[in-house]
């Protein structure tokens, strides 16, 4: 090799190394490593559903400010210039007249309006807005819990898919080993070529399952990345961990859920909000009492005083509105009944959620115990059939069947393991406690 070629190759190697390690180059970013708490923290910070829910709570908070404004004085002012083609005049009986205003003049008025009493209409409107804001905050809490459940399920589904890839790789490895043995046996004339063909077909089938498993893993990981607002194609690495959950009795878990589920609390606040709306609507049957005070100024050569201070005590009463008010009150009351029925349905759904999670936990515990033993037995069964085949006592079909059975048992075992973790996360969600998976210091202080 000439020195020139050597230096050329060293230059190419240096360029490739620079691209791989120097900042600002096109090397792939390192894969993010996450545990469950970090995944929940990312979702809490950036998930779009949570962002939308937070904005809805802020909107409801501004509605409180608007409703409270009805209890406070309203200050208004106006300034204008009036130009007449002929000034307004007052006519005497004898035909004489004198102007009442100037032809061109400036005027202004500043007034303060204060509601005194409207039969609790405005205070009820304010309290309804407060209840609506509290319900929106609870809706945000429920959205948070729903997102956390989605993250936890996606997290363990991704781990399960990764384990399925490992199981598929192990099956491929075992069948490759069996194919090697079958080829050796055939070369020594111990078995027919049919054993080799059978091993190759089984290996091809296992390799196809491995491809499917790898595709499923990438798809589930990408779905989780989207929930966490990470790049969809990021090769996220998840830490294998477990959900901590105390052993709940069904009745105890149900009682906790009925007290702590945010959607159930939000439903109660909606009912209280609508009850205040009934009072607000019913107040339209009665008069409103208020006071207005202020100052007027008008440039007028015909008046003795251009400045005037005034105070007005007034009653405003819409005596008949064509039965509109009566229908509005009826609508508001029916809305209360509707919300009460919805609350009953939510309460039943909460109890069903707890029972579903409780039964799922029991089921997965039994599945883990059963399949764990079956895996050990399946491994021993494969070992024995492999030994029998080597000794020309067993058949290739026995080995392949044993390997297939072991693979199925491993799939069942790991499916049960991760289903159990998802069931525990579902129980935490059902009782309104899944937010405990994320340390409270990681959440904003205004979270209900």
């Amino acid at each position: 090799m000439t020195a020139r070629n050597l230096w050329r190759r060293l230059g190419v190697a240096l360029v490739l190394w620079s691209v791989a390690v120097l900042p600002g180059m096109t090397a792939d970013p390192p894969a993010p490593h996450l545990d469950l708490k970090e995944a929940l923290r990312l979702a809490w910070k950036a998930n779009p559903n949570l962002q939308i829910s937070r904005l809805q709570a802020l909107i409801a908070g501004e509605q409180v400010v608007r409703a409270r404004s009805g209890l406070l004085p309203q200050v208004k002012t106006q300034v204008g210039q009036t130009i007449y083609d002929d000034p307004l005049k007052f006519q005497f009986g004898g035909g004489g007249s004198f102007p009442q205003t100037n032809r061109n003049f400036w005027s202004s008025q500043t007034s303060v309006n204060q509601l005194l009493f409207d039969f609790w209409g405005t205070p009820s409107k304010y309290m309804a807005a407060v209840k609506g804001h509290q319900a929106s905050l609870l809706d945000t809490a429920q959205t948070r819990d729903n997102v956390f459940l989605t993250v936890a399920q996606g997290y363990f589904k991704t781990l399960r898919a990764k384990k399925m890839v490992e199981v598929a790789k192990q099956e491929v490895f075992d069948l490759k080993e069996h194919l090697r043995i079958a080829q050796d046996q055939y070369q020594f004339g111990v078995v027919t070529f049919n054993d080799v063909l059978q091993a190759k077909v089984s290996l091809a089938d296992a390799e196809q399952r491995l491809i499917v498993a790898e595709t499923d893993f990438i798809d589930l990981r990408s779905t989780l990345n989207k929930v966490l607002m990470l790049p969809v194609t990021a090769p996220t690495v998840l830490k294998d961990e477990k959900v901590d959950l105390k052993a709940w009795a069904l009745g105890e878990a149900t009682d906790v859920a009925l007290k702590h589920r945010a959607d159930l609390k939000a439903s109660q606040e909606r009912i209280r909000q609508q009850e205040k709306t009934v009072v607000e609507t019913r107040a339209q049957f009665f008069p409103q009492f208020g006071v207005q005070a202020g100052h007027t100024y008008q440039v007028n050569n015909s008046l003795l005083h251009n400045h005037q201070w005034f105070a007005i005590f007034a009653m405003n009463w819409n005596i008949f509105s064509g039965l509109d008010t009566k229908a509005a009150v009826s609508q508001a009351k029916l809305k209360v009944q509707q919300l009460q029925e919805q609350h009953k349905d939510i309460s039943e759904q909460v109890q069903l959620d707890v029972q579903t999670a409780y039964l799922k936990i029991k089921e997965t515990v039994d599945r883990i115990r059963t399949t764990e033993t079956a895996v050990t037995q399946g491994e021993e069964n494969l070992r024995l059939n492999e030994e029998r085949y080597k000794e020309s006592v067993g058949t290739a079909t026995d080995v392949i069947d044993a390997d297939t059975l072991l693979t199925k048992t491993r799939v069942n075992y790991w499916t049960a393991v991760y289903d159990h973790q998802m069931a525990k996360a579902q129980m935490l969600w059902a009782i309104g406690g899944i937010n405990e998976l994320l340390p409270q210091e990681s959440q904003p202080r205004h979270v209900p």
Side-chain angles (χ1 to χ4, degrees), residues 392-418:
S392 300
V393 178
T395 65
T397 302
D398 293 335
V399 176
I400 293 174
D401 288 346
D403 187 76
T404 301
L405 181 61
L406 176 58
T407 300
K408 182 179 179 180
T409 304
R410 284 171 173 163
V411 168
N412 291 339
Y413 170 72
W414 289 113
T415 300
V417 167
Y418 290 108

Side-chain angles (χ1 to χ4, degrees), residues 330-358:
S330 179
Q331 280 183 332
K333 290 181 178 179
L334 291 172
K335 183 66 174 179
V336 172
Q337 296 179 18
Q338 182 186 47
L339 292 173
Q340 289 173 341
E341 292 299 322
Q342 290 178 356
H343 181 74
K344 292 179 183 177
D345 183 64
I346 294 174
S347 178
E348 293 293 330
Q349 184 62 48
V350 167
Q351 297 178 60
L352 179 60
D353 291 340
V354 174
Q355 178 178 292
T356 300
Y358 177 80

Side-chain angles (χ1 to χ4, degrees), residues 9-302:
R9 293 191 179 187
L10 289 175
V12 172
L14 180 61
V15 170
L16 294 175
W17 176 84
S18 300
V19 169
V21 301
L22 291 181
M25 296 298 181
T26 59
D28 293 335
H33 288 66
L34 301 178
D35 58 12
L36 183 57
K37 289 182 179 179
E38 179 65 15
L40 294 174
R41 190 191 66 79
L42 289 175
W44 172 250
K45 180 180 179 181
N47 185 267
N49 291 334
L50 270 170
Q51 299 284 19
I52 293 171
S53 186
R54 290 191 189 101
L55 290 173
Q56 185 61 43
L58 292 175
I59 293 171
E62 295 302 321
Q63 184 63 34
V64 174
V65 177
R66 295 187 62 187
R68 187 173 56 219
S69 66
L71 301 172
L72 302 176
Q74 308 294 309
V75 181
K76 299 180 180 179
T77 186
Q78 63 180 24
V79 178
Q81 182 182 14
T82 304
I83 302 175
Y84 292 121
D85 60 343
D86 190 32
L88 297 177
K89 297 180 180 179
F90 182 82
Q91 183 178 4
F92 292 101
S97 65
F98 67 90
Q100 291 180 287
T101 64
N102 296 354
R103 179 176 176 275
N104 184 351
F105 62 90
W106 288 90
S107 63
S108 67
Q109 177 175 325
T110 301
S111 62
V112 179
N113 298 272
Q114 176 61 59
L115 176 69
L116 296 178
F117 183 64
D118 65 347
F119 290 87
W120 302 280
T122 302
S124 296
K125 181 179 180 180
Y126 168 68
M127 289 305 301
V130 171
K131 295 299 180 182
H133 183 222
Q134 293 173 349
S136 293
L137 291 175
L138 289 166
D139 287 341
T140 299
Q142 186 60 39
T143 301
R144 172 203 62 197
D145 290 353
N146 294 343
V147 170
F148 281 7
L149 177 62
T150 301
V151 171
Q153 289 180 332
Y155 190 94
F156 290 112
K157 284 180 180 179
T158 304
L159 288 176
R160 182 181 64 188
K162 180 181 178 183
K163 190 62 67 173
M164 294 301 104
V165 172
E166 295 176 4
V167 170
K169 287 181 177 179
Q170 183 63 47
E171 181 184 20
V172 170
F173 176 82
D174 291 341
L175 288 173
K176 283 182 177 179
E177 183 65 17
H178 171 65
L179 175 60
R180 184 187 64 80
I181 295 173
Q183 289 174 335
D184 291 344
Q185 297 281 63
Y186 171 70
Q187 289 178 359
F188 287 107
V190 178
V191 298
T192 63
F193 189 65
N194 182 65
D195 286 9
V196 177
L197 293 177
Q198 188 178 14
K200 288 183 176 181
V201 170
S202 298
L203 177 58
D205 190 43
E207 289 174 337
Q208 179 180 344
R209 286 193 293 272
L210 174 58
I211 294 172
V212 173
E214 289 175 336
T215 302
D216 290 342
F217 168 65
I218 294 173
D219 184 54
L220 287 170
R221 185 182 62 189
S222 299
T223 302
L224 179 62
N225 286 340
K226 181 180 181 300
V227 175
L228 302 181
M229 298 305 291
L230 294 173
V232 173
T233 58
T236 309
V237 179
L238 303 180
K239 178 183 177 182
D240 202 344
E241 56 180 297
K242 299 179 180 179
V243 174
D244 293 328
L245 178 69
K246 62 173 288 188
W248 289 96
L250 179 58
E252 181 184 7
T254 302
D255 291 340
V256 171
L258 293 174
K259 292 179 181 178
H260 293 92
R261 274 283 288 267
D263 52 349
L264 202 56
K265 291 181 180 180
S267 175
Q268 292 173 335
E269 293 298 327
R270 299 290 184 198
I271 293 174
R272 297 187 183 105
Q273 177 188 15
Q274 188 60 30
E275 288 172 346
K276 294 298 181 181
T277 302
V278 171
V279 178
E280 175 196 350
T281 308
R282 191 166 51 214
Q284 298 177 24
F285 282 123
F286 306 102
Q288 295 181 348
F289 298 92
V291 62
Q292 183 185 55
H295 170 267
T296 62
Y297 170 76
Q298 178 179 327
V299 178
N300 193 332
N301 296 332
S302 301

